[in-house]
Amino acid sequence: MPFPQLTVYRHDRRNRALITLTGEIDLETAPLMRAALAQCLSDGIRIVDVDLTPVTFCDCSGLNAFLYATQKTTEAGGILQLHHPPPTLERILDLTGSGLLLLGRPVGQQSPPPGDVPAPAVQLPPHRRSPLVTAGPGDAR
């Protein structure tokens, strides 16, 4: 049985980034996601939209990584907002009361589109034809 993996796609527009995560966010893959979000801040990005539409699972280690990234983004004068979380993450956000912090709205309300960043497409932008990074079994970068 193959191990779950996480793929991170990033599309920048000026000082804003759209991060699309695909796969499962758990103890093994959360460090990869955390590093990708930190790289946005290092690159001067101050508005980060995270599209979770293709995420099939997220546990509390993913929530912890999102909360840490939100704290660091806020300290840098920016905003990080999650869009379209999977049911497992919505449940965790509801139980912990952190939906307003990470979604910008209470859990259960419809998520607004991620601003002026284009909605994630099936294909990557022409300048990048492969995923930014992928984590597989035993890869905790």
Side-chain angles (χ1 to χ4, degrees), residues 3-132:
F3 287 93
Q5 65 178 18
L6 180 70
T7 304
V8 179
Y9 298 96
R10 177 175 159 184
H11 179 74
D12 293 358
R13 182 179 285 173
R14 292 182 288 287
N15 70 336
R16 187 174 199 140
L18 172 64
I19 302 290
T20 302
L21 302 174
T22 303
E24 297 188 3
I25 305 169
D26 56 22
L27 187 60
E28 187 175 310
T29 60
L32 171 67
M33 180 191 66
R34 192 175 185 162
L37 295 172
Q39 187 62 48
C40 286
L41 292 178
S42 294
D43 293 343
I45 301 293
R46 293 299 175 256
I47 301 171
V48 181
D49 291 299
V50 182
D51 182 13
L52 300 169
T53 304
V55 170
T56 56
F57 176 79
C58 183
D59 67 10
C60 59
S61 56
L63 172 64
N64 186 41
F66 286 128
L67 290 170
Y68 180 81
T70 297
Q71 178 185 359
K72 292 299 177 187
T73 304
T74 301
E75 288 172 1
I79 299 168
L80 182 137
Q81 190 167 12
L82 305 183
H83 300 273
H84 313 291
T88 53
L89 182 56
E90 275 203 352
R91 180 76 173 132
I92 293 171
L93 293 173
D94 188 36
L95 290 171
T96 61
S98 52
L100 191 58
L101 178 65
L102 294 171
L103 299 173
R105 61 175 172 75
V107 174
Q109 284 187 359
Q110 220 25 1
S111 177
D116 67 345
V117 175
V122 174
Q123 296 179 340
L124 292 173
H127 65 280
R128 185 179 291 139
R129 298 225 181 265
S130 61
L132 201 66

